[in-house]
Amino acid sequence: RKARVATFFAAVEKAGGVPVRDQTTVAFVVQAVVPGPLSVAGSFNSWSKTADVMTKVAGTDLYYLIKKLGGGRQEYKYVDGKGAWHKDPNNRHVAWDGIPGQGLGKFNSVIPPWGAAQTKGRLEWLRVKSPQLANTRDVFVYLPAAYDLDTCKRYPVLLVNDGNESIARSQLDQVAAATFAAKKASPAVLVFVALASLLGVEAILGA
């Protein structure tokens, strides 16, 4: 069954990743590496920890929930059996969760709108391995609203160190989006390279 789960997730990723959705329904699926049971809390259920409990597939670590949500944009997190919150490890669409903190910043997973052109920029989350620094870190990529259009042009790229903090503490992605929308600057792709830890400059320089 573990092999089938791996094959399933590979097929989902090839088809565009999670969550799996159509115009009216979203299927949440995740492999749990945290204590169960799991539930889904999000903007669609007032961030309730108990409203949408997931079902575990017998003999596996796979949990799922199928829910009618309509075609609009939603944000969510998974909640484990101890009440801790987690973004979806397989969903590349994210947004800062809006909770101020002194750490590296936390993110919600995002369900993009169905069948509609993006009206504002968005963030995609990547995990990038660095052989030179011998670590793997988060990279958050801000994409302008018109990036997904069939006639998308090439955009300049701005590289931002302390990337997660630039989003969580300064909301630089939102500042950029507002600046581009007001036509005060030409749209650009922003690449936020996150710290591997709270080591600051040492982490950036590999010292």
Side-chain angles (χ1 to χ4, degrees):
R1 291 191 176 185
K2 290 183 178 180
R4 291 183 179 180
V5 170
T7 300
F8 167 76
F9 272 104
V12 169
E13 181 62 27
K14 186 176 181 180
V18 299
V20 180
R21 74 164 305 168
D22 61 18
Q23 188 172 358
T24 61
T25 306
V26 176
F28 299 92
V29 286
V30 66
Q31 285 180 278
V33 294
V34 293
L38 300 186
S39 62
V40 185
S43 52
F44 47 83
N45 64 10
S46 300
W47 296 97
S48 169
K49 291 184 175 183
T50 58
D52 290 300
V53 178
M54 305 182 78
T55 299
K56 185 178 182 181
V57 178
T60 75
D61 55 1
L62 185 68
Y63 285 79
Y64 73 92
L65 173 74
I66 298 175
K67 188 172 180 66
K68 296 282 187 181
L69 288 181
R73 180 185 182 279
Q74 303 284 355
E75 296 186 17
Y76 69 97
K77 282 184 177 179
Y78 292 124
V79 183
D80 68 26
K82 294 186 177 181
W85 302 75
H86 308 271
K87 70 175 180 292
D88 190 331
N90 300 305
N91 186 350
R92 66 181 184 273
H93 303 283
V94 296
W96 177 50
D97 66 8
I99 301 174
Q102 297 301 313
L104 298 180
K106 301 295 184 180
F107 292 80
N108 294 333
S109 297
V110 174
I111 305 170
W114 171 262
Q118 292 284 338
T119 58
K120 62 180 182 178
R122 58 186 174 86
L123 280 178
E124 287 200 1
W125 165 53
L126 309 172
R127 292 286 287 164
V128 178
K129 184 177 181 178
S130 171
Q132 290 77 15
L133 299 180
N135 61 37
T136 300
R137 65 184 65 201
D138 294 330
V139 174
F140 301 94
V141 182
Y142 170 86
L143 300 172
Y147 185 84
D148 296 318
L149 298 178
D150 293 336
T151 56
C152 174
K153 64 180 182 179
R154 295 176 67 90
Y155 290 99
V157 176
L158 176 64
L159 185 65
V160 183
N161 283 318
D162 285 8
N164 38 356
E165 292 179 306
S166 297
I167 296 170
R169 296 187 184 182
S170 304
Q171 293 82 62
L172 185 54
D173 61 315
Q174 298 177 33
V175 173
T179 301
F180 300 152
K183 302 187 183 302
K184 295 180 179 179
S186 298
V189 172
L190 277 61
V191 180
F192 297 90
V193 182
L195 296 173
S197 67
L198 289 175
L199 295 178
V201 174
E202 290 82 0
I204 296 171
L205 298 179

